[in-house]
Amino acid sequence: MTARKRHVLTLMAVGALLATTGVSTATATSAASAAPAPDPCAERPATALDQRGDWQCVGLATIADANAQPETPTLTEEQATQLDVARPVNYELGVAISPDGRLYRQTTPPPAGPVETRPSEAGGAEDEGEPRPARPVETRTIFGADDRTRRAATTSYPWRAMGSILAPNATTSNCSGALIGPRHFLTAGHCIHQGGGGSGQGWYTNRKVAPGQNGINSFPNGLKNHAWYFSVSGWFDHADPAYDYGMIVLEDRADTANLGWLGWRSTGHTGAHWTFGYPGWSYTCAASPSPSKRCDNYLYGDDNSPFLLTTNQIGTQADIQSGQSGSPIYKYNNGDRRVIGIVAYHGNWGTRVTSARSANFCNWIRVSPSAFNDHPCE
């Protein structure tokens, strides 16, 4: 008997059986289609977060459209002041996406973090100086003349610890950030997730991190793949500017862990500070080596002091442009650099490092340690 005849006879037999039991073929088909979908939390290999009691897998994460790009919103001084009201404690609870696309939520706050952590090493000369005279507060990103400087030695510490974020197959970046651990790249929340709406908004997946990018399509320290993304409920669920921060955990590689990283501090945020990052390549940068004076994906930075400090925000008078979202705002002293904020908004605002955020940084580092270098949080 041919295979086709056997198949037809089998279907006839099934139909006869259903008829004798009073079940229609349409009902059977409907019941089969109503079978529950596989549970990604139960049917995939366990991750590091599954081993912990303070995180829970809640399903698959929503991925942003492949053509979607991060947008840098504007934040005025008045809006920033209005953000300085108490928020629910659960706004600082972590939200994460695993390498295979599962979404995790933190269920309880982490233990208190350190007030500050030290960088992996010291190095790279910078003017310590005094805070510059106050500039007029505007929503522009460049105050008066553009006096940013360019750092060309991006294979040297600390400039190789500061990097850009690129979309898949891109040669130019749209966000910035800095290593604060052997594989832990701190950035703005809006650089990795669209913000608000919880699972209804998407993550920007498959982003590459280029530590020390030094021009268009120039990656002297390589392009790094991501493993995990972390942010917090305040950004993920509410798109709250006061919680616009996150972390890309990179694949664990020796050549990444040996780049070094910056420290951070959750106190002592007054006075002079610096910030370095990657403006959009097509903008104009006075310090650009390009004849056109386009920024061209070189590393630029500026120093100044805050024009306003609120509980959750730092308003900096340093010159910043779109593309520098996620850049570290850091204090400098004799080669020691400690992050105090993360550039997030036009109007030159950064998300301030607080004690709760310090605890989150350490928690995210603990759940994704490096086999190639230790961090004090581990």
Side-chain angles (χ1 to χ4, degrees), residues 310-329:
T310 71
T311 301
N312 294 303
Q313 305 285 319
I314 294 177
T316 175
Q317 297 177 94
D319 290 338
I320 296 169
Q321 284 177 310
S322 292
Q324 290 181 247
S325 286
S327 299
I329 301 171

Side-chain angles (χ1 to χ4, degrees), residues 22-370:
V23 179
S24 70
T25 54
T27 302
T29 302
S30 175
S33 65
D39 180 0
C41 296
E43 299 183 9
R44 298 189 185 191
T47 70
L49 291 188
D50 290 307
Q51 312 301 323
R52 298 173 59 95
D54 57 342
W55 287 84
Q56 180 181 7
C57 177
V58 294
L60 290 177
T62 300
I63 307 304
D65 183 89
N67 296 319
Q69 298 296 337
E71 296 181 3
T72 305
T74 296
L75 187 65
T76 67
E77 183 175 349
E78 180 181 0
Q79 289 171 325
T81 303
Q82 291 171 353
L83 292 174
D84 208 27
V85 298
R87 301 288 205 283
V89 174
N90 63 10
Y91 274 37
E92 292 285 7
L93 290 179
V95 182
I97 174 174
S98 69
D100 66 357
R102 278 175 281 180
L103 185 69
Y104 287 80
R105 283 186 176 272
Q106 191 176 20
T107 56
T108 57
V115 173
E116 54 189 314
T117 64
R118 296 188 61 83
S120 62
E121 56 184 295
E126 265 171 346
D127 270 338
E128 295 186 41
E130 293 296 322
R132 298 182 187 177
R135 298 171 179 174
V137 177
E138 308 172 38
T139 57
R140 293 176 56 202
T141 57
I142 302 296
F143 295 106
D146 177 8
D147 52 11
R148 288 172 296 177
T149 58
R150 181 175 74 96
R151 297 294 189 236
T154 60
T155 57
S156 300
Y157 182 87
W159 319 119
R160 67 190 183 203
M162 304 175 198
S164 61
I165 302 174
L166 299 90
N169 303 314
T171 59
T172 58
S173 64
N174 50 37
C175 273
S176 304
L179 288 163
I180 60 167
R183 55 188 292 220
H184 309 95
F185 192 78
L186 187 66
T187 188
H190 71 259
C191 290
I192 57 175
H193 187 266
Q194 291 175 309
S199 59
Q201 294 283 57
W203 297 84
Y204 301 113
T205 58
N206 297 322
R207 267 20 189 192
K208 302 283 188 179
V209 169
Q213 182 171 1
N214 197 28
I216 294 175
N217 207 29
S218 176
F219 312 117
N221 302 298
L223 283 170
K224 311 299 182 180
N225 295 321
H226 82 280
W228 288 83
Y229 286 163
F230 287 88
S231 190
V232 290
S233 174
W235 179 252
F236 179 80
D237 291 308
H238 308 285
D240 190 330
Y243 296 84
D244 191 352
Y245 71 100
M247 179 183 287
I248 302 175
V249 178
L250 306 176
E251 285 183 339
D252 194 21
R253 296 170 52 102
D255 58 2
T256 301
N258 293 330
L259 292 173
W261 58 85
L262 309 183
W264 73 76
R265 61 190 301 177
S266 57
T267 61
H269 294 175
T270 59
H273 56 239
W274 282 84
T275 182
F276 274 88
Y278 290 86
W281 71 272
S282 62
Y283 288 112
T284 298
C285 288
S288 173
S290 301
S292 64
K293 288 301 177 183
R294 292 185 313 198
C295 298
D296 278 348
N297 251 146
Y298 292 104
L299 179 64
Y300 300 91
D302 192 23
D303 67 312
N304 214 282
S305 57
F307 62 77
L308 186 65
L309 288 171
T310 71
T311 301
N312 294 303
Q313 305 285 319
I314 294 177
T316 175
Q317 297 177 94
D319 290 338
I320 296 169
Q321 284 177 310
S322 292
Q324 290 181 247
S325 286
S327 299
I329 301 171
Y330 62 86
K331 301 286 288 184
Y332 171 82
N333 182 33
N334 290 327
D336 183 282
R337 293 169 177 82
R338 305 194 190 199
V339 179
I340 61 172
I342 305 106
V343 171
Y345 284 85
H346 288 308
N348 297 31
W349 289 96
T351 307
R352 191 172 179 180
V353 176
T354 64
S355 58
R357 287 154 195 180
S358 177
N360 275 337
F361 299 164
C362 273
N363 189 41
W364 300 343
I365 289 171
R366 288 189 189 106
V367 301
S368 54
S370 171

